[in-house]
Amino acid sequence: MKRLGLLFALCGVVALIERPAAMIQEQVKIETGLLSGVAGTTQPSVRVFKGIPFAAPPLGDLRWKAPQPAAKWDGVRKADAFGAPCAAGAPFGGRGGGGGGARGAAPGAAAPAAPAAPPREPARAEDCLYANVWTSANSANDKRPVMVWIYGGGFTGGSGGLTWYDGEALASKGPVVVTFNYRLGSLGFFAHPELAKEAGRSASGNYGMMDAVAMLQWVKRNIAAFGGDPNKVTIAGESAGAMMVGALVGSPQAKGLFVRAIAQSGGYMGLQMGRMRQASAAEGDGVKAMEALKVSSIAELRAKPLNELAIQGQSGLVVDGYMIPEDLSLTFQAGKQNMVDVLTGSNADEANFGICPGAGLAGRGAATPMTAATLRTNAERRFGTEAADAFLKMYGVNGDADAPKAAHVACGDEVNWNMRQWAAGHAAKGKKAYVYYFSHVQNVNGQPSPQGATHTAELSFMFNNPKGQANQTWTDGDLKLADQMSSYWANFIMTGNPNGNGLPQWPEYKSLTGSKVMVFGDTPQAEPANPSAKLQFYTAAYQRMLRSGTN
């Protein structure tokens, strides 16, 4: 009862007891028919609609095609269960956050003693284009701002139905929350010249991104039925989901579908600086994949059952000339992206998730221990010989003993720079921008996580979801921080400004070296000092990369 009382006592949050008990009707009518939702499990003001088809199943001839309209149905469709997560073709579970199960738990953590609960979602399948809606609106006339969440998982794992992304607590604070599934792995990103010819375009790929655009178009047409405002949509995502957010901000195909964007630990060029893969290279790999499978046409490949589509190396965004017309770094450099307000950020120990090769804590994740020579070679390859000297000096590398920690810190610093430079670019064009840095270390199995504030660690807090991951053991301090963070996120979705009564002031971000960010440690507070030297180093390296045209 003590923790429950704390949730109601916190200031700066729209108190749950002030919310009317009424909620939107159990049945709503959308373009494809009537839906019957269910009441929330912990928030009496929230109605939940699960497993809504937003596009036709991408099966048979629709495999590797743009999503098609969902079929209409007669009667009332029960929306009380999540749809199947998307299969990836090849074995899934890549890096990038939310790959499935309890990713992010401490290494070697003991399995829970209690029997496993029934699965939250069905098994992965190719028929997977389903959406979920959480709403605390009282009627279809409420016009609540909307958040559309895009999950991470390295474009090979994750789903919109994971416990991590349960939208009930966030929706109770005002916004309508939407999650959905998009195609993954070779089913979502396979590229081949025959597919380009079939679509009448210069290149192929990015079917998973097309699913995201179809989802946003569905929201535009249908979200009013759930009390949402189709003209006040925020897209949000983490890791691979944040990369998708960046691609949507840069895509002409997504123009007008959203007004704000939230990107957590990922951006339009990935987590670290880098050039995008061209579709020509992906299509070349697609030709080789078909040869390896001993098939001679796309029609023959479409006829193969799912368990025979072991196509490797076909997952992720490519420059296809349509969804992504050019390398997104060039789009953003020229200011040609969709100019929207942004909230971006990263975590202190990003490297501990294995996102930067060889940069795990104490070198964990590397095939061999990180040495000063290896670190220098990597820096020379990425930044140039002269800059490599400055890099090693900046991170205090005088010998092999210094290298693992330097690689670890540098990984997080570069992701941090990436998120800040994106926000600075939008601020320079007159848009509102806010940046965070998450450094809080939560408890896992009753002990501080040895992974620290790793990649994905902020997710349970911004969703205000203590049950987001297995083995989490939250303190009263964790509950307070999650309530504050979710209030900031809800405020940004609702108004474009994360600040609210009783919350520590989050400064607006204006420039890369002249602005501070909001640090979410044990308590939220503005950054004491801007790390300008590191930010300037990565900015200079990025400009050299753009001029050279290489990573």
Side-chain angles (χ1 to χ4, degrees):
M1 293 301 293
K2 179 181 176 182
R3 292 187 177 180
L4 183 60
L6 177 65
L7 288 174
F8 289 102
L10 289 170
C11 58
V13 179
V14 180
L16 302 183
I17 56 175
E18 295 178 359
R19 287 277 175 208
M23 63 176 83
I24 202 162
Q25 293 181 355
E26 181 181 348
Q27 290 185 12
V28 300
K29 182 174 177 55
I30 61 173
E31 61 186 350
T32 44
L34 285 169
L35 288 170
S36 175
V38 295
T41 56
T42 62
Q43 305 293 340
S45 63
V46 176
R47 181 82 70 188
V48 189
F49 298 83
K50 305 174 184 177
I52 308 168
F54 69 90
L59 306 173
D61 289 343
L62 295 185
R63 186 186 277 175
W64 302 307
K65 283 187 178 179
Q68 300 299 304
K72 295 183 178 182
W73 58 81
D74 296 324
V76 180
R77 181 186 178 101
K78 287 187 177 181
D80 59 354
F82 293 106
C86 289
F92 59 87
R95 297 179 308 189
R103 290 184 65 89
R120 182 178 171 91
E121 304 170 290
R124 291 186 179 272
E126 202 168 353
D127 177 0
C128 63
L129 298 184
Y130 297 95
N132 316 294
V133 179
W134 289 261
T135 178
S136 61
N138 302 311
S139 74
N141 298 321
D142 273 16
K143 293 186 179 297
R144 301 281 184 92
V146 180
M147 181 189 82
V148 177
W149 178 258
I150 308 174
Y151 56 84
F155 297 112
T156 60
S159 74
L162 287 176
T163 307
W164 231 345
Y165 313 133
D166 192 290
E168 193 169 331
L170 195 58
S172 74
K173 296 188 175 185
V176 175
V177 176
V178 179
T179 69
F180 71 101
N181 297 336
Y182 60 89
R183 282 173 283 180
L184 298 168
S186 62
L187 292 171
F189 299 95
F190 183 67
H192 191 277
E194 190 178 338
L195 289 172
K197 182 178 179 181
E198 177 184 87
R201 302 191 183 110
S202 60
S204 60
N206 293 335
Y207 301 102
M209 185 176 171
M210 293 180 196
D211 296 338
V213 170
M215 180 74 252
L216 292 171
Q217 292 169 336
W218 183 94
V219 165
K220 195 73 148 178
R221 299 189 303 269
N222 293 282
I223 205 64
F226 303 92
D229 189 336
N231 297 315
K232 293 182 180 178
V233 174
T234 297
I235 57 172
E238 186 270 343
S239 196
M243 297 176 205
M244 187 87 83
V245 167
L248 291 167
V249 171
S251 177
Q253 303 302 324
K255 185 176 180 61
L257 296 177
F258 54 92
V259 296
R260 290 185 269 277
I262 298 174
Q264 301 173 209
S265 300
Y268 52 86
M269 58 181 139
L271 279 77
Q272 298 174 289
M273 67 181 73
R275 301 304 294 267
M276 293 192 71
R277 192 180 191 208
Q278 298 293 316
S280 57
E283 289 181 349
D285 288 342
V287 170
K288 294 176 183 177
M290 282 183 57
E291 292 173 350
L293 291 172
K294 295 181 171 54
V295 295
S296 58
S297 70
I298 291 295
E300 189 177 348
L301 196 60
R302 282 184 172 130
K304 275 193 168 294
L306 180 61
N307 61 3
E308 294 182 17
L309 287 179
I311 302 173
Q312 301 291 341
Q314 291 277 306
S315 59
L317 303 169
V318 295
V319 178
D320 65 351
Y322 173 63
M323 298 302 296
I324 303 176
E326 62 182 354
D327 191 304
L328 288 168
S329 285
L330 302 178
T331 300
F332 279 72
Q333 182 88 343
K336 296 186 296 184
Q337 70 270 37
N338 300 310
M339 283 299 173
V340 295
D341 298 333
V342 296
L343 187 158
T344 70
S346 64
N347 298 350
D349 299 305
E350 296 279 0
N352 284 343
F353 205 81
I355 62 172
C356 303
L361 192 61
R364 191 181 69 242
T368 57
M370 177 64 70
T371 65
T374 302
L375 190 61
R376 173 179 286 278
T377 298
N378 292 344
E380 288 178 346
R381 175 182 57 81
R382 300 192 68 227
F383 309 131
T385 302
E386 185 175 341
D389 292 334
F391 176 86
L392 267 64
K393 182 178 180 180
M394 184 167 65
Y395 287 101
V397 179
N398 297 309
D400 289 348
D402 303 319
K405 181 180 178 181
H408 172 85
V409 174
C411 173
D413 285 345
E414 189 174 343
V415 180
N416 182 25
W417 162 84
N418 188 12
M419 307 317 296
R420 294 188 191 215
Q421 63 86 25
W422 181 355
H426 277 239
K429 296 294 184 180
K431 305 307 295 184
K432 288 184 178 180
Y434 298 89
V435 181
Y436 73 88
Y437 186 72
F438 186 86
S439 60
H440 177 72
V441 178
Q442 65 183 333
N443 287 337
V444 176
N445 291 327
Q447 298 294 325
S449 171
Q451 291 183 309
T454 189
H455 189 66
T456 75
E458 86 289 1
L459 288 171
S460 297
F461 290 83
M462 55 87 37
F463 273 100
N464 197 14
N465 185 5
K467 297 180 180 179
Q469 285 183 276
N471 306 319
Q472 287 183 157
T473 48
W474 277 26
T475 65
D476 286 347
D478 292 327
L479 289 168
K480 181 177 181 179
L481 180 63
D483 195 47
Q484 290 172 313
M485 278 189 67
S486 58
S487 291
Y488 282 120
W489 262 246
N491 290 340
F492 180 78
I493 295 161
M494 297 289 284
T495 69
N497 184 334
N499 292 293
N501 292 335
L503 292 170
Q505 185 68 21
W506 187 333
E508 191 170 342
Y509 202 79
K510 295 291 188 180
S511 67
L512 191 61
T513 57
S515 297
K516 295 180 180 179
V517 307
M518 179 61 89
V519 177
F520 290 103
D522 293 340
T523 58
Q525 60 181 346
E527 183 178 40
N530 179 295
S532 57
K534 289 180 177 179
L535 296 174
Q536 289 171 343
F537 173 87
Y538 289 111
T539 297
Y542 181 50
Q543 293 303 320
R544 288 193 298 271
M545 184 197 78
L546 289 176
R547 289 193 298 269
S548 68
T550 60
N551 290 340

